[in-house]
Amino acid sequence: MGTIAIPHLTRAPSRRRAMPGFGLTLGFTLSYLSLIVLIPLAALAFNAAGLGVGGIWKVLNTSQVINALKLSFGGALVAAAINAVFGSLIAWTFVRYDFPGKRALQAMIDLPFALPTAVAGIALTALYSVPTVPSPAQGWLGVPLEALGVKVAYTQLGVIVAMTFISLPFVVRTLEPVLEQIDRQYEEAAATLGATRWQAVSRIVFPALQPALLTGTALAFARAVGEYGSIIFIAGNLPNLTQIAPLLIAINLDQHEIGAATAIAAAMLALSFAILFAINLLQAWVRRSERKSA
Amino acid sequence: MSTMATTHRPFRSATAEPLSVRWLLIGFTFAFLIVFLLLPLIVVFVQAFAGGIKAYFAALADPDSLSAIWLTLKTAAIAVLLNTLFGVAAAWLVAKFEFRGKDFLITLIDLPFSVSPVISGMVFVLIFGAQTWLGGWLIDHDIRIIFAQTGLVLATVFVTFPFVARELIPLMQAQGSDEEYAALSLGASGWQTFWLVTLPNIRWGLLYGILLCNARAMGEFGAVSVVSGKIRGASNTMPLHVEVLYQDNKMVAAFAVASLLALLALLTLGLKTFLEWRHGDELAALRGR
């Protein structure tokens, strides 16, 4: 063994062979990224630029488009807020308590990611609508809710239900690992110093969770804004009332109104990127103020 | 007196909530997930079998359904293969080398996640549609991209673009390059090092990424909906066929095809949970995101 090792020892340490494959992987990654993602998105930007600000504004400045954008962004905001609250409670329950059936519930959380959106769409519609003819599984929730005076299917509430369904896993999945890593000794110290359990949770655990909660909520929001398949069935798609912005894009493409579709798509992308950018800034600010107070 | 009173109270750790709160939260989680997530899934199967088992299989054996199933399998196979090759290459690049603009590259790889599915399909209409110079040239030469399988594949590749790469990048970064350097210094070639050292190390993470990528590829609706033209028996994938049957008010058939997709979702969740449970330590780098 020693005789084999000797020649290596006499070599200069810098003779270590370089990792191969830089040129190959860089070339492939960049060309594939450009072909599939960057050039197509650039085509959208190029088409939007061709319309000009005036041209885009002319398309956007109709009540149908404005209402659709309001519904997509407003609905996504409500859905993300609902998920922030319920998702936090669910993540807390998963991480802090042990109970029978937990693993099954945890596997179920990802169902909205795994279930194709069109399937979710028709299932939610069957569940929340009120059947006009007797039907086996239709109206399980729609009928009792209607008796309470709440209409879900074919209303804006239905849009929000679908958006909440599709983006539920984000907050839970982002919070879980962070909650797992929180050191319980600060909560113990707070309890020793006479804090109530609620004070310890709200003043010690919650601030530590804030950045992850913000990330999870932002992801949920981004997903809900662009969502299409799970919404269009339950929405009923009434102009000015339950039409979402992606549906207007699809309708315009169907009618070969490429310019109108481009204008709405450009507005949607610009708005979502601006909001995500603002959230990133907010997060950096939260982190900085935390470091200052620590 | 006060010590007497406290010893009679049931014991509770200082960092646990009262039993009532705990039960309330567990009860809420059960109720919410069962009503909100499980019920829609059950509805799919109840509706699919509403006309009996015969009607269910008759709906699936319909030529248009079979053609949709076949098209979905082909499209997903190509898209998953391409994105797997890309994911491995991108992860090798990011994990093994230092270069400027790396963080920006990772951001660009994740970009398709923040684009609406409809827009993801639409960008290919903007490039290859009949209204463009390129689209006109393609029509003159009888090459079909939009309203044909190539368009479906492109749209699917776009929406599932980040899946494999974003599982592999953190995994390979966490594993480091020591084993690869050892193999290289013992005289292995670059490809030998990849096949014999790297691949066995990342196989479960790779499988995990392929699983999620495939589930999304087979289930994608919005992006393929705008490039397909929805020609029955020709350019309809399973999710698009579900919509067509639903619009035609053929509920049993729509939910029968939907039930196959729901089964795929259940299979994906099952395998994913199994991988997390069986190979959780090797996938540790994937958690925490």
PDB file of all heavy atoms in Angstrom, chain B residues 232-244:
ATOM      1  N   ARG B 232     -60.357  16.402 -30.969  1.00  0.00           N
ATOM      2  CA  ARG B 232     -60.604  15.101 -30.344  1.00  0.00           C
ATOM      3  C   ARG B 232     -59.913  13.986 -31.094  1.00  0.00           C
ATOM      4  O   ARG B 232     -59.910  13.960 -32.310  1.00  0.00           O
ATOM      5  CB  ARG B 232     -62.098  14.807 -30.334  1.00  0.00           C
ATOM      6  CG  ARG B 232     -62.801  15.600 -29.299  1.00  0.00           C
ATOM      7  CD  ARG B 232     -64.274  15.388 -29.424  1.00  0.00           C
ATOM      8  NE  ARG B 232     -64.934  16.617 -29.015  1.00  0.00           N
ATOM      9  CZ  ARG B 232     -66.134  16.647 -28.469  1.00  0.00           C
ATOM     10  NH1 ARG B 232     -66.801  15.535 -28.329  1.00  0.00           N
ATOM     11  NH2 ARG B 232     -66.645  17.786 -28.103  1.00  0.00           N
ATOM     12  N   GLY B 233     -59.346  13.069 -30.342  1.00  0.00           N
ATOM     13  CA  GLY B 233     -58.695  11.924 -30.956  1.00  0.00           C
ATOM     14  C   GLY B 233     -57.381  12.286 -31.611  1.00  0.00           C
ATOM     15  O   GLY B 233     -56.724  11.435 -32.184  1.00  0.00           O
ATOM     16  N   ALA B 234     -57.000  13.573 -31.598  1.00  0.00           N
ATOM     17  CA  ALA B 234     -55.742  13.952 -32.254  1.00  0.00           C
ATOM     18  C   ALA B 234     -54.832  14.741 -31.325  1.00  0.00           C
ATOM     19  O   ALA B 234     -53.693  14.353 -31.093  1.00  0.00           O
ATOM     20  CB  ALA B 234     -56.031  14.757 -33.512  1.00  0.00           C
ATOM     21  N   SER B 235     -55.318  15.876 -30.770  1.00  0.00           N
ATOM     22  CA  SER B 235     -54.424  16.686 -29.941  1.00  0.00           C
ATOM     23  C   SER B 235     -55.014  16.935 -28.558  1.00  0.00           C
ATOM     24  O   SER B 235     -54.751  17.942 -27.939  1.00  0.00           O
ATOM     25  CB  SER B 235     -54.095  18.006 -30.633  1.00  0.00           C
ATOM     26  OG  SER B 235     -55.248  18.785 -30.749  1.00  0.00           O
ATOM     27  N   ASN B 236     -55.836  15.995 -28.075  1.00  0.00           N
ATOM     28  CA  ASN B 236     -56.405  16.127 -26.731  1.00  0.00           C
ATOM     29  C   ASN B 236     -55.660  15.236 -25.746  1.00  0.00           C
ATOM     30  O   ASN B 236     -55.633  14.023 -25.905  1.00  0.00           O
ATOM     31  CB  ASN B 236     -57.878  15.708 -26.752  1.00  0.00           C
ATOM     32  CG  ASN B 236     -58.786  16.888 -26.552  1.00  0.00           C
ATOM     33  OD1 ASN B 236     -58.315  18.011 -26.405  1.00  0.00           O
ATOM     34  ND2 ASN B 236     -60.077  16.654 -26.531  1.00  0.00           N
ATOM     35  N   THR B 237     -55.061  15.835 -24.720  1.00  0.00           N
ATOM     36  CA  THR B 237     -54.479  15.020 -23.660  1.00  0.00           C
ATOM     37  C   THR B 237     -55.581  14.669 -22.667  1.00  0.00           C
ATOM     38  O   THR B 237     -56.707  15.164 -22.775  1.00  0.00           O
ATOM     39  CB  THR B 237     -53.367  15.780 -22.925  1.00  0.00           C
ATOM     40  OG1 THR B 237     -53.942  16.936 -22.342  1.00  0.00           O
ATOM     41  CG2 THR B 237     -52.262  16.192 -23.886  1.00  0.00           C
ATOM     42  N   MET B 238     -55.269  13.836 -21.679  1.00  0.00           N
ATOM     43  CA  MET B 238     -56.305  13.408 -20.731  1.00  0.00           C
ATOM     44  C   MET B 238     -56.990  14.583 -20.027  1.00  0.00           C
ATOM     45  O   MET B 238     -58.217  14.643 -19.978  1.00  0.00           O
ATOM     46  CB  MET B 238     -55.719  12.441 -19.708  1.00  0.00           C
ATOM     47  CG  MET B 238     -55.524  11.043 -20.254  1.00  0.00           C
ATOM     48  SD  MET B 238     -54.474  10.081 -19.177  1.00  0.00           S
ATOM     49  CE  MET B 238     -55.636   9.582 -17.935  1.00  0.00           C
ATOM     50  N   PRO B 239     -56.235  15.543 -19.451  1.00  0.00           N
ATOM     51  CA  PRO B 239     -56.931  16.644 -18.774  1.00  0.00           C
ATOM     52  C   PRO B 239     -57.821  17.451 -19.727  1.00  0.00           C
ATOM     53  O   PRO B 239     -58.913  17.877 -19.347  1.00  0.00           O
ATOM     54  CB  PRO B 239     -55.781  17.517 -18.242  1.00  0.00           C
ATOM     55  CG  PRO B 239     -54.640  16.587 -18.125  1.00  0.00           C
ATOM     56  CD  PRO B 239     -54.783  15.622 -19.253  1.00  0.00           C
ATOM     57  N   LEU B 240     -57.370  17.614 -20.989  1.00  0.00           N
ATOM     58  CA  LEU B 240     -58.186  18.344 -21.957  1.00  0.00           C
ATOM     59  C   LEU B 240     -59.428  17.538 -22.332  1.00  0.00           C
ATOM     60  O   LEU B 240     -60.515  18.098 -22.520  1.00  0.00           O
ATOM     61  CB  LEU B 240     -57.372  18.646 -23.222  1.00  0.00           C
ATOM     62  CG  LEU B 240     -56.181  19.579 -23.031  1.00  0.00           C
ATOM     63  CD1 LEU B 240     -55.390  19.700 -24.321  1.00  0.00           C
ATOM     64  CD2 LEU B 240     -56.653  20.954 -22.573  1.00  0.00           C
ATOM     65  N   HIS B 241     -59.263  16.216 -22.412  1.00  0.00           N
ATOM     66  CA  HIS B 241     -60.396  15.355 -22.728  1.00  0.00           C
ATOM     67  C   HIS B 241     -61.428  15.403 -21.606  1.00  0.00           C
ATOM     68  O   HIS B 241     -62.637  15.359 -21.861  1.00  0.00           O
ATOM     69  CB  HIS B 241     -59.891  13.923 -22.950  1.00  0.00           C
ATOM     70  CG  HIS B 241     -60.904  13.028 -23.597  1.00  0.00           C
ATOM     71  ND1 HIS B 241     -61.558  13.364 -24.761  1.00  0.00           N
ATOM     72  CD2 HIS B 241     -61.400  11.815 -23.230  1.00  0.00           C
ATOM     73  CE1 HIS B 241     -62.401  12.399 -25.090  1.00  0.00           C
ATOM     74  NE2 HIS B 241     -62.327  11.455 -24.168  1.00  0.00           N
ATOM     75  N   VAL B 242     -60.962  15.506 -20.352  1.00  0.00           N
ATOM     76  CA  VAL B 242     -61.878  15.648 -19.213  1.00  0.00           C
ATOM     77  C   VAL B 242     -62.747  16.884 -19.415  1.00  0.00           C
ATOM     78  O   VAL B 242     -63.971  16.838 -19.251  1.00  0.00           O
ATOM     79  CB  VAL B 242     -61.093  15.758 -17.885  1.00  0.00           C
ATOM     80  CG1 VAL B 242     -62.005  16.201 -16.751  1.00  0.00           C
ATOM     81  CG2 VAL B 242     -60.432  14.432 -17.543  1.00  0.00           C
ATOM     82  N   GLU B 243     -62.113  17.985 -19.836  1.00  0.00           N
ATOM     83  CA  GLU B 243     -62.869  19.223 -20.022  1.00  0.00           C
ATOM     84  C   GLU B 243     -63.900  19.074 -21.138  1.00  0.00           C
ATOM     85  O   GLU B 243     -65.059  19.471 -20.989  1.00  0.00           O
ATOM     86  CB  GLU B 243     -61.923  20.386 -20.353  1.00  0.00           C
ATOM     87  CG  GLU B 243     -62.640  21.724 -20.374  1.00  0.00           C
ATOM     88  CD  GLU B 243     -61.883  22.804 -21.140  1.00  0.00           C
ATOM     89  OE1 GLU B 243     -60.968  22.460 -21.918  1.00  0.00           O
ATOM     90  OE2 GLU B 243     -62.238  23.980 -20.979  1.00  0.00           O
ATOM     91  N   VAL B 244     -63.476  18.476 -22.259  1.00  0.00           N
ATOM     92  CA  VAL B 244     -64.386  18.296 -23.400  1.00  0.00           C
ATOM     93  C   VAL B 244     -65.600  17.466 -22.987  1.00  0.00           C
ATOM     94  O   VAL B 244     -66.750  17.835 -23.251  1.00  0.00           O
ATOM     95  CB  VAL B 244     -63.631  17.624 -24.574  1.00  0.00           C
ATOM     96  CG1 VAL B 244     -64.607  17.134 -25.627  1.00  0.00           C
ATOM     97  CG2 VAL B 244     -62.635  18.592 -25.182  1.00  0.00           C
TER      98      VAL B 244
END
